[in-house]
């Protein structure tokens, strides 16, 4: 049990350090020359950022709650605040709105400085027709917003570096 607490504390400290570094990037001067592929970039450092939250399904809401707490704590170290707008995506959107990618979620994402998405999907929706599957919402989001990549924390395990 004590090893778990230490490991958990280390993980939380590392996560907080990464979020503080992300906040450092927010207050850094903007890049001198934006590329043509940028869709929407913050032109200059701001004191507040609008973030659309997409907690999704399964463990997603729990992850989102913890991430928001860590992000707020990291922002405080740099004098940055966040305006969060929680929206539906995936299975929860199917259950509440009848579609995996509601229009109001799209509008919120377009108006945001950033999108924080957690997990989507689960066995509950596996038997649904294609248009009513959680991943259809993710694909629509990527297409309509021009997204192609996710940022995910990762830890390199020395024994597996050659396999990467």
């Amino acid at each position: 049990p004590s090893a778990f607490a230490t490991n958990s504390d280390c993980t939380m400290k590392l996560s907080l350090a990464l979020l503080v570094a992300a906040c450092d990037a927010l207050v850094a001067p903007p890049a001198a020359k934006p590329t043509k592929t940028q869709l929407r970039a913050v032109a200059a450092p701001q004191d507040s950022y609008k973030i659309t939250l997409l907690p999704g399904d399964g463990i997603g809401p729990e992850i989102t709650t913890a991430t928001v707490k860590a992000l707020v704590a990291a922002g405080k170290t740099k004098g940055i605040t966040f305006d969060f707008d929680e929206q539906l995506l995936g299975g929860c959107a199917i259950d509440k709105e009848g579609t995996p990618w509601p229009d109001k979620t799209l509008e919120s994402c377009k108006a945001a400085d950033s999108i924080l998405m957690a997990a989507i999907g689960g066995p509950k929706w596996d038997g649904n027709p294609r248009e009513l599957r959680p991943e259809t919402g993710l694909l629509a989001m990527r297409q309509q917003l021009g997204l192609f990549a996710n940022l995910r924390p990762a830890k390199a395990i020395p024994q597996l570096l050659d396999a990467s």
Side-chain angles (χ1 to χ4, degrees):
S2 64
F4 177 76
T6 303
N7 199 10
S8 179
D9 290 344
C10 290
T11 301
M12 185 59 166
K13 287 177 185 173
L14 175 62
S15 297
L16 186 56
L18 290 171
L19 288 168
V20 169
C23 288
D24 278 337
L26 289 175
V27 296
K33 204 174 189 182
T35 65
K36 290 182 182 179
T37 58
Q38 284 182 319
L39 296 175
R40 181 178 184 277
V42 175
Q46 301 172 177
D47 294 331
S48 182
Y49 294 88
K50 181 176 180 186
I51 300 176
T52 296
L53 301 175
L54 303 174
D57 311 311
I59 194 171
E62 182 180 352
I63 292 168
T64 302
T65 298
T67 303
V68 166
K69 286 179 184 178
L71 187 56
V72 168
K76 283 182 182 177
T77 70
K78 302 297 176 186
I80 298 171
T81 60
F82 302 97
D83 176 22
F84 299 106
D85 181 23
E86 187 171 320
Q87 294 293 325
L88 300 172
L89 171 68
C92 64
I94 293 167
D95 292 348
K96 293 180 182 170
E97 301 286 333
T99 178
W101 178 237
D103 289 339
K104 59 186 171 184
T105 301
L106 172 61
E107 294 311 313
S108 178
C109 290
K110 284 181 176 179
D113 295 308
S114 185
I115 302 165
L116 177 62
M117 187 188 97
I120 63 162
K124 175 180 179 180
W125 304 279
D126 283 350
N128 284 12
R130 179 123 178 100
E131 68 276 5
L132 291 178
R133 294 182 58 117
E135 59 272 16
T136 301
L138 176 60
L139 295 173
M141 180 175 81
R142 287 180 175 171
Q143 180 183 29
Q144 292 175 9
L145 297 176
L147 304 175
F148 60 91
N150 292 327
L151 298 178
R152 299 173 187 224
K155 180 179 178 182
I157 300 172
Q159 297 85 347
L160 298 177
L161 287 178
D162 291 334
S164 296

